[in-house]
Amino acid sequence: MAEHPDTPDFAPLDSLLHEERVFRPLPETLAAALVSPARLRQAREQAEADPLAFWEEAAEELDWFGRWDQVLDDASPPFYRWFPGGRCNIVYNALDRHIQTAAKNRLALIWEGEPGDCRTLTYYELFRHVNRFANALKSLGVRKGDRVVLYMPSLPETVIAMLAVAKIGAVHSLVFAGYSAKALKDRIDDARAVCVITVDGFYRNGRVLQLKQVLDDALLLGGHAPETVVVCHRAHVDVEMQDGRDYWYEELVRAERPQCPCEVMDSNDMLFVLYTSGATGKPKGIVHTHGGYMVGVSRTFRWVFDINPTDIYWCTADLGWITGHSYAVYGPLMAGATTVLYEGHPLYPQADRLWSTIARYGVTILYTVPTLIRMLMRFGKELPRKHDLSTLRLLGSVGEPLNPEAWVWLHKHIGRQQCPLLDTWWQTETGMIMVSPLPASLLKPGSVTRPLPGIVADVVDAAGAPVPPDKGGLLVIKTPWPAMLAGIYNDPDRYVEEYWSVIPGAYLTGDVARKDEDGYLWMQGRADDVLVIAGHRIGAAELESGLVSHKAVAEAAVVGVPDAIRGEVAKAFVILAEGYEPASALIKELKAHLKRELGPVAVLGAMEFPASLPKTRSGKIVRRILKARERGEEVGDVTGVEE
Ligand code: WTA
């Protein structure tokens, strides 16, 4: 979701945050790791010497219907084509091939509804459901290349629908179930969807949200009209069904056969379009394809999460985000793992839902987001202590900078100081994890460590020159990678302009980062959120991290506001921890704390204590809105932001 940062005068950033703590992997972690330090070193060397051979080897771990002509066609950058000529279908790797192995009777899915109902599906059961629905979609006239919008919460049927659509060669586009009718309509229009799949209603925070009703409202807004609508039962609320357009899922699948072969796709045929959550403006349809995506996701899932057959893996991301696509569905299923899915609000009915769910299913790997961790920290360490979390062996984080305090809390109180904590950096556009430790890596709290083997990332200034160690700069990716986006749906010019024009020859992530002497990367936030205080360029993330390291602060957002003398000063929006009240003594204390933590440059101007912060539905703070309000400017597109 990189929006054009204002880069022409982009100078290196000053870095204020210095974190000295390091955590070495335990001997038993090293002994058990799928990728040992020696193997990792060898992989880095191999990937550096011959990146195409490195990725070709990863491709060979998967099943193909026909071999590729070449690993990478780079004849017309930035329109790179991975494994051109290769014949495949990601669903074959996620399902069909397991049916011939011991994975057949293993649990593919453990699903829990918000009210506490639970459903499980083995690989064989999931396979049959997918085949039935794939056949039903064909009966409805859905063809290879057609776009199908899924307006659904995290349900087994959502996974079934994703896989069924992809199996017949159509293109899925998930729209997060919290989006409004207008946001949904914009996406249906842009994708020109032939079919929309939804549910009658679902449970969220103790309420039933009537999704079919929102879809009806969206379709009344005019624009592109899908030919068919499929509705699954979930909350059993009354809905209106339009004759000849709307069909019940259960009725459609009843008559269908549980066999359906995979459509043979070219590597570069579209798999899905996913609209980015709009933290920085107008949503765009990010396109991913079958071949490169499956190779990149499969390899990174196995290596980073170190998966083995006894794992119960839980990625808390909603299926409507890229994390849900790559690491709740495709990655785990390609690995034959058991993936946990939860329908509702993470704090419902009580703040310990996450911990009780881990205990209930014996979750071994938890992949979640910083905003949730910080929220749960507010409730204290006693809450997780009431539950048996001893099954956990790996923790992962994604989506925002994980500040050192939250990192250490998670590592200590949830991970018993034994579970490696993997802070993974990537984007909707990258499709797969790009920068991350592996379980056997040396960890520094707050750092995403180093690019994975095969990924060439760097920190540069506006001219594309590397910045010295410990200065911040633009994070760029210098060579293509398999799961990279194929482009923006129906907008090739915007793709070139936004990602490939600022630093010639490199992919612009839109994030700022610094690299330390060991080559470890420290994310400093979005380039658009950089503050300029008395000539110093500082990433918002560092100031926020400094604030939340104080025990009174649960969450903080910092933006720059114009200042006659310093150019800009930092203004902080602070959510206090339980038991603290805004008071002038506390404000003074927080300002002093920030200077102590980050040095004299970290001058804080005003402070506000709002009831909540504007966030995207995936939990990222939208500083753009706070900034615009401060400056009395138009806020712009706020679709997908909740407060
Ligand atoms: C941010 C989510 C710091 C970053 C997979 C990126 C992170 C954007 C991290 C992509 C991390 C993601 N540390 N920041 N570990 N991971 N981000 O497209 O700004 O929803 O550009 O993909 O999230 O968000 P998206």
Side-chain angles (χ1 to χ4, degrees), residues 405-416:
E405 287 323 304
W407 195 106
V408 169
W409 188 89
L410 187 64
H411 187 254
K412 185 167 172 193
H413 297 299
I414 308 304
R416 314 178 301 278

PDB file of all heavy atoms in Angstrom, residues 405-416:
ATOM      1  N   GLU A 405       9.280  -2.637  23.801  1.00  0.00           N
ATOM      2  CA  GLU A 405       8.590  -2.990  25.043  1.00  0.00           C
ATOM      3  C   GLU A 405       7.550  -4.078  24.818  1.00  0.00           C
ATOM      4  O   GLU A 405       7.415  -5.017  25.595  1.00  0.00           O
ATOM      5  CB  GLU A 405       7.930  -1.752  25.667  1.00  0.00           C
ATOM      6  CG  GLU A 405       8.909  -0.786  26.292  1.00  0.00           C
ATOM      7  CD  GLU A 405      10.079  -1.457  26.995  1.00  0.00           C
ATOM      8  OE1 GLU A 405       9.863  -2.290  27.900  1.00  0.00           O
ATOM      9  OE2 GLU A 405      11.227  -1.147  26.616  1.00  0.00           O
ATOM     10  N   ALA A 406       6.789  -3.935  23.730  1.00  0.00           N
ATOM     11  CA  ALA A 406       5.780  -4.945  23.425  1.00  0.00           C
ATOM     12  C   ALA A 406       6.472  -6.266  23.065  1.00  0.00           C
ATOM     13  O   ALA A 406       6.008  -7.351  23.416  1.00  0.00           O
ATOM     14  CB  ALA A 406       4.892  -4.467  22.282  1.00  0.00           C
ATOM     15  N   TRP A 407       7.572  -6.167  22.357  1.00  0.00           N
ATOM     16  CA  TRP A 407       8.352  -7.343  21.985  1.00  0.00           C
ATOM     17  C   TRP A 407       8.759  -8.122  23.235  1.00  0.00           C
ATOM     18  O   TRP A 407       8.525  -9.332  23.344  1.00  0.00           O
ATOM     19  CB  TRP A 407       9.597  -6.881  21.213  1.00  0.00           C
ATOM     20  CG  TRP A 407      10.345  -7.927  20.446  1.00  0.00           C
ATOM     21  CD1 TRP A 407      10.336  -8.086  19.097  1.00  0.00           C
ATOM     22  CD2 TRP A 407      11.235  -8.939  20.967  1.00  0.00           C
ATOM     23  NE1 TRP A 407      11.155  -9.128  18.741  1.00  0.00           N
ATOM     24  CE2 TRP A 407      11.716  -9.672  19.867  1.00  0.00           C
ATOM     25  CE3 TRP A 407      11.659  -9.306  22.247  1.00  0.00           C
ATOM     26  CZ2 TRP A 407      12.606 -10.734  19.997  1.00  0.00           C
ATOM     27  CZ3 TRP A 407      12.536 -10.383  22.383  1.00  0.00           C
ATOM     28  CH2 TRP A 407      13.005 -11.084  21.266  1.00  0.00           C
ATOM     29  N   VAL A 408       9.349  -7.400  24.195  1.00  0.00           N
ATOM     30  CA  VAL A 408       9.866  -8.056  25.391  1.00  0.00           C
ATOM     31  C   VAL A 408       8.714  -8.626  26.230  1.00  0.00           C
ATOM     32  O   VAL A 408       8.813  -9.730  26.771  1.00  0.00           O
ATOM     33  CB  VAL A 408      10.748  -7.073  26.206  1.00  0.00           C
ATOM     34  CG1 VAL A 408      11.069  -7.635  27.575  1.00  0.00           C
ATOM     35  CG2 VAL A 408      12.036  -6.782  25.429  1.00  0.00           C
ATOM     36  N   TRP A 409       7.612  -7.910  26.277  1.00  0.00           N
ATOM     37  CA  TRP A 409       6.444  -8.398  27.025  1.00  0.00           C
ATOM     38  C   TRP A 409       5.944  -9.718  26.445  1.00  0.00           C
ATOM     39  O   TRP A 409       5.712 -10.698  27.155  1.00  0.00           O
ATOM     40  CB  TRP A 409       5.335  -7.345  26.989  1.00  0.00           C
ATOM     41  CG  TRP A 409       4.170  -7.669  27.880  1.00  0.00           C
ATOM     42  CD1 TRP A 409       4.037  -7.328  29.204  1.00  0.00           C
ATOM     43  CD2 TRP A 409       2.989  -8.410  27.530  1.00  0.00           C
ATOM     44  NE1 TRP A 409       2.840  -7.805  29.690  1.00  0.00           N
ATOM     45  CE2 TRP A 409       2.181  -8.472  28.689  1.00  0.00           C
ATOM     46  CE3 TRP A 409       2.540  -9.019  26.361  1.00  0.00           C
ATOM     47  CZ2 TRP A 409       0.936  -9.121  28.707  1.00  0.00           C
ATOM     48  CZ3 TRP A 409       1.310  -9.666  26.380  1.00  0.00           C
ATOM     49  CH2 TRP A 409       0.526  -9.717  27.545  1.00  0.00           C
ATOM     50  N   LEU A 410       5.813  -9.719  25.127  1.00  0.00           N
ATOM     51  CA  LEU A 410       5.317 -10.916  24.443  1.00  0.00           C
ATOM     52  C   LEU A 410       6.273 -12.094  24.653  1.00  0.00           C
ATOM     53  O   LEU A 410       5.866 -13.223  24.962  1.00  0.00           O
ATOM     54  CB  LEU A 410       5.162 -10.596  22.951  1.00  0.00           C
ATOM     55  CG  LEU A 410       4.516 -11.630  22.062  1.00  0.00           C
ATOM     56  CD1 LEU A 410       3.066 -11.846  22.476  1.00  0.00           C
ATOM     57  CD2 LEU A 410       4.555 -11.162  20.592  1.00  0.00           C
ATOM     58  N   HIS A 411       7.539 -11.802  24.507  1.00  0.00           N
ATOM     59  CA  HIS A 411       8.566 -12.825  24.631  1.00  0.00           C
ATOM     60  C   HIS A 411       8.576 -13.412  26.047  1.00  0.00           C
ATOM     61  O   HIS A 411       8.674 -14.622  26.234  1.00  0.00           O
ATOM     62  CB  HIS A 411       9.923 -12.185  24.303  1.00  0.00           C
ATOM     63  CG  HIS A 411      11.053 -13.163  24.222  1.00  0.00           C
ATOM     64  ND1 HIS A 411      12.007 -13.265  25.193  1.00  0.00           N
ATOM     65  CD2 HIS A 411      11.371 -14.084  23.282  1.00  0.00           C
ATOM     66  CE1 HIS A 411      12.874 -14.212  24.868  1.00  0.00           C
ATOM     67  NE2 HIS A 411      12.519 -14.729  23.709  1.00  0.00           N
ATOM     68  N   LYS A 412       8.407 -12.533  27.044  1.00  0.00           N
ATOM     69  CA  LYS A 412       8.514 -12.962  28.430  1.00  0.00           C
ATOM     70  C   LYS A 412       7.212 -13.601  28.934  1.00  0.00           C
ATOM     71  O   LYS A 412       7.216 -14.713  29.463  1.00  0.00           O
ATOM     72  CB  LYS A 412       8.850 -11.730  29.276  1.00  0.00           C
ATOM     73  CG  LYS A 412       9.101 -12.040  30.723  1.00  0.00           C
ATOM     74  CD  LYS A 412       9.740 -10.825  31.388  1.00  0.00           C
ATOM     75  CE  LYS A 412       9.823 -11.049  32.888  1.00  0.00           C
ATOM     76  NZ  LYS A 412      10.143  -9.805  33.576  1.00  0.00           N
ATOM     77  N   HIS A 413       6.107 -12.890  28.752  1.00  0.00           N
ATOM     78  CA  HIS A 413       4.885 -13.339  29.413  1.00  0.00           C
ATOM     79  C   HIS A 413       4.081 -14.341  28.592  1.00  0.00           C
ATOM     80  O   HIS A 413       3.275 -15.078  29.135  1.00  0.00           O
ATOM     81  CB  HIS A 413       4.021 -12.130  29.777  1.00  0.00           C
ATOM     82  CG  HIS A 413       4.710 -11.231  30.754  1.00  0.00           C
ATOM     83  ND1 HIS A 413       5.075 -11.662  32.007  1.00  0.00           N
ATOM     84  CD2 HIS A 413       5.155  -9.956  30.645  1.00  0.00           C
ATOM     85  CE1 HIS A 413       5.696 -10.678  32.644  1.00  0.00           C
ATOM     86  NE2 HIS A 413       5.767  -9.634  31.832  1.00  0.00           N
ATOM     87  N   ILE A 414       4.280 -14.367  27.297  1.00  0.00           N
ATOM     88  CA  ILE A 414       3.568 -15.335  26.461  1.00  0.00           C
ATOM     89  C   ILE A 414       4.527 -16.426  25.999  1.00  0.00           C
ATOM     90  O   ILE A 414       4.196 -17.598  25.984  1.00  0.00           O
ATOM     91  CB  ILE A 414       2.901 -14.643  25.254  1.00  0.00           C
ATOM     92  CG1 ILE A 414       2.045 -13.456  25.726  1.00  0.00           C
ATOM     93  CG2 ILE A 414       2.075 -15.637  24.443  1.00  0.00           C
ATOM     94  CD1 ILE A 414       0.978 -13.792  26.754  1.00  0.00           C
ATOM     95  N   GLY A 415       5.740 -16.021  25.663  1.00  0.00           N
ATOM     96  CA  GLY A 415       6.698 -16.978  25.107  1.00  0.00           C
ATOM     97  C   GLY A 415       7.622 -17.612  26.134  1.00  0.00           C
ATOM     98  O   GLY A 415       8.530 -18.360  25.765  1.00  0.00           O
ATOM     99  N   ARG A 416       7.410 -17.345  27.445  1.00  0.00           N
ATOM    100  CA  ARG A 416       8.209 -17.946  28.522  1.00  0.00           C
ATOM    101  C   ARG A 416       9.712 -17.753  28.291  1.00  0.00           C
ATOM    102  O   ARG A 416      10.529 -18.542  28.742  1.00  0.00           O
ATOM    103  CB  ARG A 416       7.931 -19.459  28.655  1.00  0.00           C
ATOM    104  CG  ARG A 416       6.479 -19.877  28.630  1.00  0.00           C
ATOM    105  CD  ARG A 416       6.315 -21.379  28.716  1.00  0.00           C
ATOM    106  NE  ARG A 416       6.961 -22.114  27.659  1.00  0.00           N
ATOM    107  CZ  ARG A 416       6.466 -22.308  26.434  1.00  0.00           C
ATOM    108  NH1 ARG A 416       5.293 -21.795  26.103  1.00  0.00           N
ATOM    109  NH2 ARG A 416       7.131 -22.995  25.535  1.00  0.00           N
TER     110      ARG A 416
END
